[in-house]
Amino acid sequence: MVFKDYTFFSYVLLATAVILFTGHAHGTGLCDNYHNKQVCDSIVYNRTNPRDAMVAACHKLIYETKVAKVVAQRQANSTEIDNCITDFDGAIAITKRALESLKANDYAGLRNYINATQINYQACDEGFQSSAKTNPIAKSTKHLEDMASVELFLVPL
């Protein structure tokens, strides 16, 4: 009787190990060759459905853009900072439209909206470059650009 219980326990342990290992294998390698693997992994990890990963990526981008906007609002007032805040507001609205495109299975629109979001982040940096000033939120802007490029990576062609 003890032997039967031991065998059953072994099978349960083996089945649990297989489920755990294969569960983490979904999406493995998706971000390996991507230039910002850490950001990609943080969005895709444990998502077996690419659509779910894309939805999560858009929501994360909206949240991170709101955080960057707060950082920008804490900076000294300047035309460049005001423009960045406006660009961030635009990026949030555009990313919400990207989610609507995803819901409608409009992948071309989704790709266009994500491209437009990247353009908004780049406009923030370009405003500082054109006035020959240092962007105090450059790190935030770079992070947002990287996240948007991960999203483009996830959009089906």
Side-chain angles (χ1 to χ4, degrees), residues 5-64:
D5 291 339
Y6 179 72
T7 304
F8 176 74
F9 177 74
S10 297
Y11 286 132
V12 170
L13 182 63
L14 179 63
T16 303
V18 168
I19 289 169
L20 288 174
F21 288 129
T22 58
H24 289 288
H26 288 291
T28 300
L30 183 62
C31 299
D32 286 349
N33 294 325
Y34 197 70
H35 74 276
N36 197 331
K37 186 177 183 321
Q38 183 180 10
V39 173
C40 185
D41 282 341
S42 73
I43 293 169
V44 177
Y45 186 69
N46 277 342
R47 306 255 181 221
T48 57
N49 181 336
R51 183 181 202 80
D52 290 346
M54 188 66 204
V55 169
C58 286
H59 285 293
K60 186 170 184 163
L61 186 61
I62 290 169
Y63 172 78
E64 293 288 338

Side-chain angles (χ1 to χ4, degrees), residues 80-112:
E80 295 82 13
I81 285 293
D82 291 342
N83 289 340
C84 285
I85 292 169
T86 302
D87 291 334
F88 291 160
D89 284 336
I92 291 167
I94 292 168
T95 305
K96 288 179 180 178
R97 285 190 222 131
L99 281 167
E100 292 169 7
S101 292
L102 180 62
K103 185 176 180 180
N105 294 323
D106 176 13
Y107 296 113
L110 174 63
R111 185 170 282 281
N112 288 337

